[in-house]
Amino acid sequence: MQLGDLIEAAREAAGWTQVEVAAAAGCTPLSVRKWKNGAVPRGDYVERLRKRLPGLAALLDEKFEAAA
């Protein structure tokens, strides 16, 4: 599962739109759509979403613990 997939899963679980995710990250909705299609988000966007998008921090922690 790629980073964009984790963001998408957290977005859907939280009931957020791509526009709401973009606003929370400080980017455009086009960027969010690109992440869904495999583009890698900038680190500052990920950090903002980690703090603001419910469930994303847990998914990231789980993903990177499993990889270690």
Side-chain angles (χ1 to χ4, degrees):
M1 189 174 262
Q2 295 190 12
L3 186 53
D5 297 326
L6 296 174
I7 294 170
E8 182 69 9
R11 179 190 75 76
E12 289 178 349
W16 285 23
T17 66
Q18 290 181 347
V19 172
E20 290 169 317
V21 171
C27 66
T28 66
L30 177 60
S31 293
V32 175
R33 285 192 295 277
K34 287 180 180 180
W35 304 340
K36 185 176 177 180
N37 293 319
V40 178
R42 289 185 355 202
D44 59 325
Y45 295 155
V46 175
E47 190 55 37
R48 285 186 203 126
L49 287 176
R50 183 181 185 90
K51 294 175 184 175
R52 298 175 183 164
L53 179 57
L56 181 59
L59 288 173
L60 290 172
D61 291 344
E62 182 180 305
K63 165 81 173 169
F64 291 107
E65 284 177 8

